[in-house]
Amino acid sequence: MARGRGDGEQKKRLVTWIVVLAIVCGCLYIYSRKGGTSALEYGSKSLRKLGSSYLGGEDDGDEASNKFGEDLQDGVMLKSIPVCDDGQSELIPCLDRNLIYQTRLKLDLSLMEHYERHCPAPERHFNCLIPPPPGYKVPIKWPKSRDVVWKENIPHTHLASEKSDQNWMVVKGDKIEFPGGGTHFHYGADKYIAAIANMLNFPKNILNNGGRLRTVLDVGCGVASFGGYLLSSNIIAMSLAPNDVHQNQIQFALERGIPAHLGVLGTKRLPYPSRSFELAHCSRCRIDWLQRNGILLLELDRLLRPGGYFAYSSPEAYAQDEEDLRIWKEMSALVERMCWKIAAKRNQTVIWVKPLTNDCYMEREPGTQPPLCKSDDDPDAVWGVPMEACITPYSDQNHKARGSGLAPWPARLTALPPRLADFGYSNEMFEKDMEVWQQRVENYWNLLSPKIRPDTLRNVMDMKANLGSFAAALKSKDVWVMNVVPEDGPNTLKIIYDRGLIGTVHSWCESFSTYPRTYDLLHAWTVFSDIEKKGCSAVDLLTEMDRILRPTGFIIIRDKRPVVEFVKKHLSALHWEAVATAEAEGESEQDEDDMVFIIQKKLWLTSESFRETE
């Protein structure tokens, strides 16, 4: 009997060790699967393991899971979505250089084609959640964020050393500070901006010129300090730079709470309509403006309003050596043929002004280059449209008006946009649109109020902006809005720019040109219904929204009831939580089945990141 008990105890110990060994091996296996299911760490630091089901892969051929009605009928509920490899924490799918290398795209590097959008085919979609970097923290709030961010959120300090003599940024402990310097304005963007205003004889050296200068395009913006310091003058800049050797500059800009967008002057038109900006700016932006018959300067010309300015700060404007002198002479000759005039020139900065009318164009000698664009060219067509080396003349209406006819800011926001008639919209329709969205935004804020404080939100995106009235209703909030207009709908973006707002054209069947974790609030009005009609993946859109949304950020979905039910089934897999659900107030019969659903994204880290943080 004693020997029997001993044998039994040995067997128990053996079974116990086998179980322990199996658990250890299982944990090691899970940890090794970086690109597959992963452990997550929430704000409470309780680790939770993802389940085994996931999206994508070659075996996932059931398209019904992306359709709202069929998904609900079949009872499909995704319990988890895998987490991408930690090395993908800054993935921008349509600006991914690895994709270019892997697919061996034949691109002309001299034309900057490798910095333009090249989106993966559906079978190459990542179908996983982008993890934050180790030690990620909720971003510092605006306005303090203009000058300081957490180093862990963008763990890249090479610009601090590379631009140490130019005061771009300085690393101090666990933070990165931005003194406001730039390549051309070592002593601060504020002084540089005042100097430009002084050169143009604007009252009190304030660049907004009494509200007449409101929208700015800053090309090759660096970390966007120029745009950041313009905000105090009620000027909003679209700070633009490619994902190039200084690849994190736009990420820094958005982390700071400064409007910015990834883009490049390459072969395609920038995704903004004609006559959008009062001022274009380039401070040593390393662009060859003379290439291809001046095609890049002609793209700026398309984007500038009548009487708009181009401020160019570069050694060529000073022309101290032979090469600078050659560039300056050729550039001066080019802009003269484009009918630009020098408004002011001082040291290494020259400011040209675009004509108010077509008179100069008509007076040029026959055969003068660059030519005028053909009459059938649509200057507002921008989605994937190649640039043309031609001058965009004004319409007869603009020519006679001798300008854009815009009210000064802030009256411009609510005044009737001059280009409203291009869409056949009446004044009453515009005013009703403002009234409707003012009420909707008030209702949104009432639903959000338990979760937010005045400084909670800064970077906001309206994923389907229409006339821009959602953004206009946020005027009293300390936020800025990226207004997105569908690439296949009415190009109402020109109305949005006429109102003194900014935005871009985009297709939500593709990934947006921004870094992960760059927006605090996404507003999706019928966006899911729209992409379903196009046959695009609603699940892909959910993971893309998760990619660009900051942890603890919010999503407002305004759509049909089946859409809301579809999204609810994916909350757990995405690690989102419901904040509020409400019946949408109906302005028409089409709105009767509309719902408002507000979601918050949880803060989580991968188990690997959590270990590194500890």
Side-chain angles (χ1 to χ4, degrees):
M1 292 295 292
R3 188 173 62 183
R5 283 196 299 270
D7 290 342
E9 289 172 0
Q10 288 178 359
K11 288 179 181 178
K12 288 180 182 179
R13 284 198 293 271
L14 180 61
V15 169
T16 300
W17 278 110
I18 290 172
V19 171
V20 170
L21 183 61
I23 292 172
V24 170
C25 290
C27 291
L28 288 173
Y29 174 74
I30 291 171
Y31 178 67
S32 67
R33 292 280 306 277
K34 288 183 181 179
T37 49
S38 171
L40 299 181
E41 190 273 333
Y42 288 86
S44 63
K45 295 189 178 180
S46 59
L47 295 175
R48 307 181 185 181
K49 187 167 63 178
L50 288 172
S52 59
S53 63
Y54 63 92
L55 298 175
E58 295 179 358
D59 296 329
D60 187 8
D62 184 8
E63 295 180 357
S65 65
N66 292 339
K67 301 297 182 181
F68 309 125
E70 296 174 16
D71 177 76
L72 295 175
Q73 291 169 8
D74 295 343
V76 175
M77 183 171 178
L78 295 164
K79 296 186 181 300
S80 66
I81 299 174
V83 177
C84 298
D85 186 283
D86 276 22
Q88 304 295 341
S89 68
E90 293 171 357
L91 176 69
I92 311 165
C94 292
L95 296 171
D96 181 15
R97 280 185 226 148
N98 290 328
L99 174 70
I100 293 174
Y101 300 145
Q102 292 165 9
T103 54
R104 299 181 180 179
L105 295 178
K106 295 181 179 179
L107 304 175
D108 191 331
L109 304 188
S110 67
L111 301 184
M112 311 295 278
E113 284 187 302
H114 54 308
Y115 294 141
E116 294 182 321
R117 289 174 59 85
H118 303 282
C119 296
E123 63 272 13
R124 297 185 70 96
H125 287 184
F126 278 79
N127 295 320
C128 51
L129 303 180
I130 302 296
Y136 181 86
K137 302 177 183 179
V138 174
I140 292 170
K141 304 301 184 184
W142 182 267
K144 186 179 179 182
S145 64
R146 188 195 73 172
D147 302 322
V148 61
V149 302
W150 296 116
K151 183 173 67 176
E152 289 87 350
N153 289 10
I154 311 178
H156 302 283
T157 58
H158 61 281
L159 280 175
S161 55
E162 185 178 337
K163 303 290 184 179
S164 60
D165 62 330
Q166 299 169 14
N167 282 326
W168 277 34
M169 48 190 274
V170 179
V171 179
K172 290 190 177 180
D174 60 354
K175 298 183 181 71
I176 296 175
E177 297 184 359
F178 299 88
T183 304
H184 190 77
F185 39 93
H186 304 179
Y187 301 106
D190 50 350
K191 295 180 177 62
Y192 174 70
I193 291 166
I196 292 176
N198 180 264
M199 290 172 67
L200 293 171
N201 296 315
F202 287 171
K204 299 180 181 178
N205 294 339
I206 298 176
L207 193 58
N208 73 4
N209 192 26
R212 287 178 285 276
L213 196 155
R214 164 65 180 170
T215 52
V216 169
L217 177 66
D218 187 16
V219 181
C221 64
V223 293
S225 289
F226 181 75
Y229 279 80
L230 285 173
L231 290 165
S232 60
S233 299
N234 282 323
I235 296 173
I236 189 164
M238 180 67 84
S239 296
L240 186 78
N243 183 24
D244 62 5
V245 292
H246 301 320
Q247 52 187 280
N248 300 99
Q249 50 196 343
I250 292 298
Q251 190 179 19
F252 279 119
L254 291 165
E255 182 74 12
R256 297 172 69 186
I258 299 170
H261 194 214
L262 278 162
V264 66
L265 283 163
T267 65
K268 303 290 195 305
R269 284 178 172 175
L270 293 178
Y272 321 122
S274 66
R275 308 196 309 275
S276 292
F277 301 98
E278 276 93 39
L279 172 72
H281 173 255
C282 157
S283 173
R284 297 196 188 185
C285 53
R286 301 189 306 158
I287 292 175
D288 177 7
W289 296 107
L290 296 173
Q291 65 174 283
R292 293 176 282 160
N293 301 312
I295 194 169
L296 304 184
L297 267 182
L298 290 161
E299 173 66 358
L300 288 191
D301 183 82
R302 180 184 72 85
L303 295 172
L304 283 175
R305 299 193 191 278
Y309 300 99
F310 176 43
Y312 179 59
S313 295
S314 184
E316 293 88 11
Y318 190 54
Q320 280 190 308
D321 59 37
E322 186 176 339
E323 179 62 12
D324 287 343
L325 182 60
R326 180 192 67 80
I327 295 173
W328 172 251
K329 285 182 177 179
E330 291 186 26
M331 199 164 172
S332 297
L334 172 61
V335 298
E336 184 177 355
R337 296 194 302 274
M338 291 168 55
C339 294
W340 289 8
K341 304 292 184 185
I342 291 180
K345 187 172 182 291
R346 183 184 300 166
N347 299 328
Q348 291 187 18
T349 299
V350 59
I351 304 173
W352 285 288
V353 61
K354 184 180 174 180
L356 288 168
T357 69
N358 290 328
D359 290 343
C360 175
Y361 306 143
M362 301 298 105
E363 294 167 0
R364 300 188 311 161
E365 292 291 329
T368 299
Q369 297 295 318
L372 296 182
C373 297
K374 296 177 181 178
S375 58
D376 61 352
D377 176 73
D378 180 2
D380 300 323
V382 296
W383 185 249
V385 176
M387 290 182 191
E388 295 285 344
C390 59
I391 298 170
T392 305
Y394 302 127
S395 65
D396 290 341
Q397 180 181 355
N398 280 118
H399 173 72
K400 292 175 183 176
R402 297 184 61 82
S404 298
L406 296 172
W409 180 267
R412 183 182 302 186
L413 184 65
T414 53
L416 293 171
R419 293 189 271 188
L420 188 66
D422 292 1
F423 301 90
Y425 296 151
S426 67
N427 297 352
E428 292 75 17
M429 290 170 65
F430 177 74
E431 291 167 356
K432 177 63 176 176
D433 187 70
M434 282 198 297
E435 179 184 329
V436 164
W437 281 105
Q438 184 66 47
Q439 184 59 51
R440 287 178 176 178
V441 168
E442 288 178 9
N443 291 339
Y444 292 161
W445 247 248
N446 287 336
L447 293 171
L448 279 167
S449 59
K451 289 280 189 176
I452 64 172
R453 297 189 303 181
D455 66 351
T456 299
L457 305 176
R458 174 59 185 170
N459 302 349
V460 175
M461 179 186 287
D462 190 1
M463 298 174 68
K464 184 183 175 184
N466 195 28
L467 303 182
S469 293
F470 169 83
L474 291 171
K475 181 180 180 296
S476 62
K477 313 294 183 186
D478 205 0
V479 303
W480 67 274
V481 181
M482 177 67 80
N483 294 280
V484 181
V485 170
E487 90 295 351
D488 61 345
N491 192 0
T492 53
L493 196 57
K494 55 187 177 181
I495 291 178
I496 288 168
Y497 275 94
D498 281 357
R499 300 183 72 176
L501 304 168
I502 62 170
T504 186
V505 174
H506 183 64
S507 168
W508 285 113
C509 291
E510 298 180 359
S511 180
F512 193 76
S513 292
T514 193
Y515 281 88
R517 302 172 300 280
T518 44
Y519 285 87
D520 299 300
L521 173 67
L522 305 178
H523 176 238
W525 169 51
T526 70
V527 175
F528 284 90
S529 292
D530 291 345
I531 69 157
E532 184 192 21
K533 294 173 186 174
K534 295 180 182 180
C536 301
S537 167
V539 172
D540 280 355
L541 179 57
L542 286 172
T543 54
E544 171 63 4
M545 291 168 73
D546 183 81
R547 185 186 74 85
I548 65 180
L549 187 66
R550 285 173 167 175
T552 73
F554 296 89
I555 298 171
I556 302 174
I557 294 175
R558 187 185 194 92
D559 216 316
K560 299 299 180 186
R561 187 181 300 274
V563 172
V564 171
E565 294 303 320
F566 169 83
V567 175
K568 283 182 177 180
K569 285 184 173 290
H570 293 76
L571 292 182
S572 176
L574 290 158
H575 312 288
W576 297 352
E577 60 183 7
V579 171
T581 308
E583 299 280 348
E585 66 285 1
E587 288 84 24
S588 67
E589 291 183 4
Q590 294 179 341
D591 301 329
E592 286 182 357
D593 195 35
D594 281 5
M595 300 281 293
V596 174
F597 185 38
I598 299 181
I599 301 156
Q600 186 172 24
K601 177 180 176 177
K602 296 178 182 178
L603 172 60
W604 55 266
L605 296 172
T606 62
S607 55
E608 179 177 334
S609 297
F610 181 48
R611 273 189 287 271
E612 291 184 29
T613 304
E614 292 291 290

